Amino acid sequence: MSGFIFDLDGVLVDTAKFHFEAWRELARDLGFDMDETFNETLKGVSRMESLEKILQKGNIDASSDQKLSWAEQKNQNYLARVQKMTKADVLPGVLAFLEKSKQLKIPMAVGSASKNAVAILTLTEIKDYFQVIIDGNQISKGKPDPEVFLLAAKTLQLSPALCVVFEDAEAGIEAALAAGMYAVGVGDLEKADEMISGFEGQDPEQFILDPL
Ligand code: BG6
Ligand code: MG
């Protein structure tokens, strides 16, 4: 049986915009700006690695303590935005896709770099669809390393070759491919095995992989 592993931010829920807004506010506080093109390079990347990329862009050097404090500032800003989320912030077509997958008894996991994953899944009321949630608290190497997806497959007790990953970030597609999984890009992701623009009108049965 195939299993599905979903990235969270930008795949299941519309949080990618909140990450962008919160990082942008920090960048502006530090005296420079960042646009959506630069933001693409942060998608799927852990909080501290994202901060490193932003500081590099702004040519800013800082102590470890200062970096931790900026990361915390960004996270508080992000959480203030996220607190208002409800089921309505689940991306179009996702609820129907999860419901049909559940009826088909497809094992499902979340594989996210975020340390806020469980809180967001709870706020948006989709947590119970997933048998396994692997997030930024359980992994030591972020995407594009395959660790998050390999741990999700292991916990689902599925071989990686039978896992389909849904991802909106280039780093996530690279991680899925490195894990030996089938990568579905949500958005314009050329390295993916297949691309979809979103879940609206998608049938989970189309993504079930045949066992070898
Ligand atoms: C990923 C997002 O899912 O999680 C990144 O795409 C984010 O933008 C990363 O930086 C870490 O998230 P958090 O919630 O732990 O800061
Ligand atoms: Mg994402």
Side-chain angles (χ1 to χ4, degrees), residues 8-9 15 19 47 74-76 78-79 82-83 112-123 133 135-137:
L8 174 68
D9 295 312
T15 40
H19 279 295
R47 195 181 306 167
K74 180 266 173 181
N75 194 47
Q76 289 307 322
Y78 174 69
L79 286 176
V82 158
Q83 287 317 314
S112 169
S114 174
K115 294 188 170 177
N116 298 303
V118 171
I120 288 165
L121 290 165
T122 306
L123 276 169
I133 297 167
D135 64 21
N137 299 296

Side-chain angles (χ1 to χ4, degrees), residues 5-207:
I5 306 176
F6 299 85
D7 171 52
L8 174 68
D9 295 312
V11 168
L12 298 174
V13 291
D14 202 6
T15 40
K17 63 183 182 201
F18 297 138
H19 279 295
F20 174 51
E21 288 167 8
W23 280 131
R24 190 176 210 186
E25 224 169 274
L26 178 71
R28 286 177 173 168
D29 281 355
L30 298 178
F32 62 99
D33 202 3
M34 53 176 265
D35 61 14
E36 298 211 26
T37 308
F38 175 73
N39 187 56
E40 284 300 310
T41 68
L42 305 181
K43 285 188 178 173
V45 176
S46 75
R47 195 181 306 167
M48 291 313 289
E49 277 179 73
S50 298
L51 177 66
E52 290 293 349
K53 284 180 189 249
I54 289 166
L55 295 180
Q56 207 177 6
K57 181 176 170 57
N59 259 318
I60 293 173
D61 204 12
S63 67
S64 314
D65 281 356
Q66 179 62 73
K67 287 178 187 173
L68 283 173
S69 151
W70 283 332
E72 180 57 20
Q73 181 184 329
K74 180 266 173 181
N75 194 47
Q76 289 307 322
N77 183 331
Y78 174 69
L79 286 176
R81 294 165 194 273
V82 158
Q83 287 317 314
K84 298 167 204 139
M85 286 183 86
T86 66
K87 210 172 177 173
D89 294 288
V90 174
L91 282 162
V94 166
L95 282 177
F97 191 91
L98 294 176
E99 193 54 46
K100 175 106 193 267
S101 304
K102 182 182 169 183
Q103 281 163 20
L104 292 167
K105 300 198 181 340
I106 297 171
M108 291 193 279
V110 167
S112 169
S114 174
K115 294 188 170 177
N116 298 303
V118 171
I120 288 165
L121 290 165
T122 306
L123 276 169
T124 53
E125 298 176 45
I126 55 172
K127 182 169 168 279
D128 291 346
Y129 282 108
F130 306 100
Q131 290 82 63
V132 168
I133 297 167
I134 305 295
D135 64 21
N137 299 296
Q138 286 130 285
I139 52 166
S140 58
K141 287 168 274 172
K143 301 169 187 176
D145 189 281
E147 183 183 5
V148 65
F149 294 138
L150 289 173
L151 186 55
K154 191 176 168 195
T155 316
L156 282 176
Q157 295 183 297
L158 283 176
S159 116
L162 286 177
C163 293
V164 181
V165 172
F166 297 92
E167 253 295 348
D168 72 319
E170 202 173 308
I173 295 293
E174 285 172 20
L177 295 174
M181 299 177 180
Y182 186 82
V184 178
V186 183
D188 195 13
L189 291 146
E190 282 167 12
K191 288 184 190 160
D193 292 306
E194 179 177 344
M195 288 188 267
I196 57 173
S197 56
F199 286 94
E200 251 174 337
Q202 297 291 345
D203 182 351
E205 278 189 272
Q206 290 173 327
F207 298 96

